[in-house]
C-alpha cells in the first residue's frame, strides 16, 4: 500500500463504530436505544460511520432468526447498514462454515469450558468482515473478502491511521458481566494478541457503563411492546440452563435428536482414542447423554406449561441467578 499513501492521505474517513449484534437481549436492547433515543445516539454514536454486523452459527433458534429479520429491517429503515455474515458470505473458514460442519468434520461437540465456537463462528468472521469493509471505504470499492488481504488485518490498520481514531466495537455485556468484559480487555492486552487488535480496536461496554442489567433488557421488551427476545446462545449451546434443555427436548425435538447423533459419533471417537466415553453435549460427567440430563431434570419443570417454561428460558445468562 506504500505507493498509494499520498492518495490515501487525502481521504476524509469518519471514525468507525461497529455494533457486534448477537441478536440476543443485550445487543437488541442497545440497538433499540440507538434507534429510539436521540440523546443516547448523540452521546455514543454521533459523527461516526456506524454499522451493525451479525455472524451466524447456522444453529440459531427459530425465534432468534425472526428477531434478526426484525432488527435488520428496523436498522436499515433508520438508515444504518446491517451486515449478516453466514457461510455463503465467505467470512467463515471452511472448517467452521457452521457449527455442524465443524462437528461433522471432527466428530466432536462444543463442550462446556471451551469457547472455540464463539471465537470461530462469531468473533473471527466479524473481524474479517471489518477488514474488508475498511478496504472498501478506503479504495471506494464493493465489499469483497480476500484471504490474502486478511493476513494481519492491514486495512483495519490503514483505516485507523487515516481516520485518526481506533475502531470502536460494541460488545453486549450487561451489568453483572463485568468479569467477561475484564477478560476481554485482558486478552486484548496480551503480547500474544495480534498487533492490529491491541492497537486498533477499542471495545465499548455501554450496558455495563450505564448500569443496565439483563433484567432491565427483559423488562424493556415487555414494557415497550417489542415482545420477548431470546438470549443469544444457539440451540446447541453447551451452557444451556436446565430449563432450556427440558424446553428444547419438548419443543425442538428434531434438533436435540440431531445433537444426540453427534454425541454418539463423538463417543465412538472417544472410545477409539481413549478407550472410554468422555463428556456429553450438556454434561461434564463422562458418558452422561442428552437423554440422561433430560431425564434428571424433567420432573423439575413438569408443572410448567410450554409457555411458562419458555419464559423461564428467557432468563438464561450469567447475571440472572435463577437462570442456571
Amino acid at each position: 500500500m506504500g505507493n498509494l499513501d499520498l492518495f490515501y492521505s487525502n481521504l476524509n474517513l469518519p471514525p468507525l463504530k461497529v455494533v457486534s449484534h448477537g441478536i440476543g437481549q443485550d445487543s437488541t436492547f442497545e440497538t433499540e436505544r440507538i434507534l429510539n433515543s436521540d440523546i443516547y445516539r448523540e452521546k455514543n454514536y454521533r459523527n461516526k460511520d456506524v454499522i451493525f454486523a451479525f455472524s451466524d452459527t447456522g444453529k440459531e433458534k427459530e425465534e432468534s432468526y425472526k428477531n434478526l429479520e426484525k432488527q435488520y429491517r428496523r436498522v436499515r429503515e433508520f438508515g444504518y447498514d446491517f451486515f449478516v455474515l453466514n457461510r455463503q458470505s465467505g467470512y467463515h473458514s471452511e472448517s467452521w462454515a457452521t457449527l455442524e460442519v465443524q462437528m461433522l468434520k471432527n466428530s466432536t461437540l462444543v463442550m462446556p469450558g471451551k469457547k472455540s465456537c464463539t471465537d470461530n463462528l462469531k468473533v473471527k468472521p466479524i473481524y474479517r468482515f471489518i477488514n474488508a469493509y475498511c478496504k472498501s471505504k478506503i479504495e471506494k470499492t464493493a465489499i469483497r473478502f480476500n484471504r490474502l488481504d486478511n493476513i494481519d488485518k492491514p486495512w483495519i490498520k490503514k483505516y485507523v491511521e487515516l481516520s485518526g481514531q481506533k475502531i470502536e466495537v460494541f460488545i453486549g455485556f450487561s451489568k453483572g458481566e463485568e468479569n467477561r468484559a475484564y477478560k476481554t480487555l485482558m486478552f486484548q492486552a496480551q503480547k500474544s494478541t495480534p498487533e492490529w487488535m491491541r492497537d486498533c480496536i477499542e471495545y465499548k461496554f455501554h450496558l455495563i457503563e450505564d448500569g443496565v442489567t439483563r433484567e432491565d433488557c427483559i423488562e424493556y421488551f415487555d414494557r415497550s411492546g417489542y415482545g420477548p427476545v431470546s438470549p443469544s446462545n444457539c440451540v446447541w449451546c453447551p451452557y444451556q440452563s436446565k430449563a432450556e434443555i427440558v424446553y428444547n427436548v419438548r419443543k425442538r425435538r428434531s434438533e436435540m435428536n440431531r445433537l444426540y447423533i453427534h454425541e454418539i459419533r463423538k463417543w465412538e471417537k472417544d472410545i477409539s482414542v481413549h478407550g472410554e466415553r468422555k463428556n456429553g453435549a450438556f454434561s461434564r460427567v463422562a458418558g452422561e447423554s442428552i437423554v440422561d440430563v433430560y431425564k434428571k431434570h424433567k420432573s423439575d419443570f413438569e408443572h410448567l406449561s410450554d409457555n411458562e417454561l419458555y419464559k423461564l428460558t428467557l432468563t438464561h445468562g450469567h447475571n440472572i441467578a435463577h437462570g442456571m
Side-chain angles (χ1 to χ4, degrees):
M1 290 189 290
N3 294 333
L4 297 175
D5 280 349
L6 183 61
F7 168 75
Y8 291 150
S9 66
N10 294 322
L11 292 175
N12 184 23
L13 295 173
L16 176 61
K17 185 154 189 174
V18 182
V19 178
S20 180
H21 206 310
I23 61 173
Q25 294 161 340
D26 295 334
S27 50
T28 298
F29 179 88
E30 177 69 8
T31 300
E32 292 303 303
R33 285 208 296 183
I34 296 168
L35 303 185
N36 295 323
S37 173
D38 294 341
I39 295 174
Y40 180 75
R41 191 171 58 254
E42 278 286 305
K43 176 185 175 183
N44 294 290
Y45 292 87
R46 183 172 177 266
N47 295 331
K48 301 181 189 298
D49 180 11
V50 179
I51 63 172
F52 294 70
F54 162 72
S55 184
D56 190 5
T57 65
K59 281 296 174 185
E60 312 298 340
K61 289 167 284 195
E62 181 181 357
E63 61 267 32
S64 295
Y65 283 122
K66 289 181 179 178
N67 187 47
L68 171 63
E69 292 176 5
K70 185 175 183 179
Q71 286 283 282
Y72 179 88
R73 182 178 65 253
R74 286 178 55 73
V75 167
R76 299 278 292 190
E77 286 175 353
F78 192 86
Y80 290 129
D81 283 326
F82 195 131
F83 299 94
V84 177
L85 315 177
N86 52 35
R87 66 181 303 177
Q88 289 78 30
S89 306
Y91 299 99
H92 294 62
S93 68
E94 290 184 10
S95 60
W96 282 95
T98 68
L99 180 58
E100 190 161 23
V101 164
Q102 171 63 202
M103 289 182 174
L104 288 168
K105 178 180 176 63
N106 293 307
S107 297
T108 189
L109 297 168
V110 176
M111 305 214 301
K114 298 189 176 182
K115 297 288 187 179
S116 56
C117 58
T118 300
D119 188 44
N120 286 288
L121 291 169
K122 295 288 188 180
V123 178
K124 288 179 179 177
I126 284 180
Y127 284 111
R128 290 175 186 135
F129 168 76
I130 293 174
N131 190 62
Y133 180 84
C134 289
K135 180 180 181 180
S136 76
K137 289 299 181 179
I138 293 169
E139 298 207 322
K140 301 184 184 302
T141 58
I143 305 171
R144 295 189 184 91
F145 178 61
N146 184 320
R147 294 199 179 275
L148 293 178
D149 282 339
N150 187 59
I151 299 172
D152 206 28
K153 306 296 186 291
W155 296 102
I156 286 179
K157 293 178 180 178
K158 196 65 182 177
Y159 195 100
V160 168
E161 176 189 330
L162 294 172
S163 68
Q165 292 190 34
K166 291 184 178 182
I167 296 171
E168 295 183 1
V169 178
F170 165 79
I171 304 293
F173 295 155
S174 53
K175 183 181 179 184
E177 297 182 297
E178 288 83 357
N179 189 51
R180 297 181 73 193
Y182 174 78
K183 288 180 178 178
T184 299
L185 294 174
M186 288 301 98
F187 172 79
Q188 184 186 30
Q190 291 176 1
K191 289 184 178 180
S192 57
T193 298
E195 179 185 10
W196 64 266
M197 183 173 281
R198 292 199 312 269
D199 297 343
C200 300
I201 304 299
E202 182 177 350
Y203 296 114
K204 292 294 182 180
F205 308 105
H206 292 316
L207 301 188
I208 292 177
E209 294 166 6
D210 296 339
V212 178
T213 66
R214 186 70 60 82
E215 291 97 327
D216 292 331
C217 297
I218 295 172
E219 288 175 8
Y220 169 80
F221 300 136
D222 182 54
R223 185 178 67 254
S224 68
Y226 185 92
V229 176
S230 180
S232 60
N233 58 312
C234 80
V235 71
W236 286 355
C237 177
Y239 293 98
Q240 290 185 37
S241 66
K242 299 168 186 176
E244 286 176 292
I245 293 170
V246 173
Y247 180 82
N248 283 337
V249 173
R250 273 195 203 178
K251 303 298 292 182
R252 300 183 174 108
R253 183 65 64 92
S254 62
E255 286 289 352
M256 291 300 102
N257 286 341
R258 192 164 183 83
L259 182 57
Y260 182 53
I261 292 172
H262 286 291
E263 194 173 54
I264 293 172
R265 293 180 72 249
K266 187 257 184 186
W267 280 337
E268 290 173 348
K269 180 180 175 181
D270 284 344
I271 291 172
S272 67
V273 175
H274 305 288
E276 62 179 354
R277 292 179 174 184
K278 297 292 185 180
N279 293 44
F282 298 137
S283 175
R284 300 191 185 202
V285 178
E288 187 171 57
S289 70
I290 295 170
V291 175
D292 296 328
V293 174
Y294 169 70
K295 288 180 177 178
K296 184 188 294 185
H297 301 298
K298 176 183 176 183
S299 62
D300 297 337
F301 305 99
E302 282 182 330
H303 63 290
L304 298 177
S305 67
D306 289 347
N307 187 53
E308 290 170 331
L309 184 55
Y310 176 70
K311 288 182 178 179
L312 190 57
T313 69
L314 299 180
T315 64
H316 173 108
H318 297 263
N319 61 330
I320 299 181
H322 62 283
M324 296 301 284

